[in-house]
Each structure stands twice: as C-alpha cells, then as structure tokens.
Amino acid sequence: LELDPNNHQVMDDLAELLIQMGEDAIAKQVLERSIQLAPDSGYSKYMNLAQLLTAEVSLNALLQTGKFS
C-alpha cells in the first residue's frame, strides 16, 4: 500500500489477513475504503464487511442485556 495506496485488491487481501488476526476494527476500515475505491470489483469485500457488521451488532445486543458485561 505504500507504493499504491489506492490498490483495492491489496486492501481486500489485507482485510482478510486482519480478520484472521482478530483485528476486526482495522479490517472494517480497510474494507470500507476498498469499497469506496472499487465498488464494482469483487464480492468478497462485501461478504467480509457484512460478517464484521453482523458480529458487531450481535455483540452490542448481547452487551445491552447486561448479562455479558
């Protein structure tokens, strides 16, 4: 990314690596940027982002119950 900061393909790969490492917040940012740059290129970025957002929403719902704080 240092050589080409707008390379959406590298961003997609980086996001997948970050997800595997448990760095979901950073992966979400990278995926959102990749979608901005190339919304019509590839579908995996949308699937990965949807999974991250679903997990985030689910976790927030659990935390609001007060049973998992």
Side-chain angles (χ1 to χ4, degrees), residues 12-30:
D12 295 347
D13 292 341
L14 175 61
E16 288 191 26
L17 179 61
L18 288 166
I19 291 168
Q20 290 176 7
M21 295 173 52
E23 298 290 343
D24 293 352
I26 300 170
K28 181 180 165 189
Q29 292 174 354
V30 171

Side-chain angles (χ1 to χ4, degrees), residues 2-62:
E2 287 181 20
L3 297 176
D4 185 1
N6 293 325
N7 187 326
H8 66 91
Q9 292 171 323
V10 172
M11 288 182 189
D12 295 347
D13 292 341
L14 175 61
E16 288 191 26
L17 179 61
L18 288 166
I19 291 168
Q20 290 176 7
M21 295 173 52
E23 298 290 343
D24 293 352
I26 300 170
K28 181 180 165 189
Q29 292 174 354
V30 171
L31 288 167
E32 289 171 343
R33 178 69 178 141
S34 176
I35 289 169
Q36 287 176 345
L37 293 172
D40 297 329
S41 177
Y43 63 89
S44 64
K45 63 180 128 205
Y46 290 101
M47 292 178 59
N48 286 332
L49 184 59
Q51 289 176 337
L52 289 175
L53 293 175
T54 300
E56 185 178 312
V57 169
S58 297
L59 178 60
N60 286 337
L62 281 174

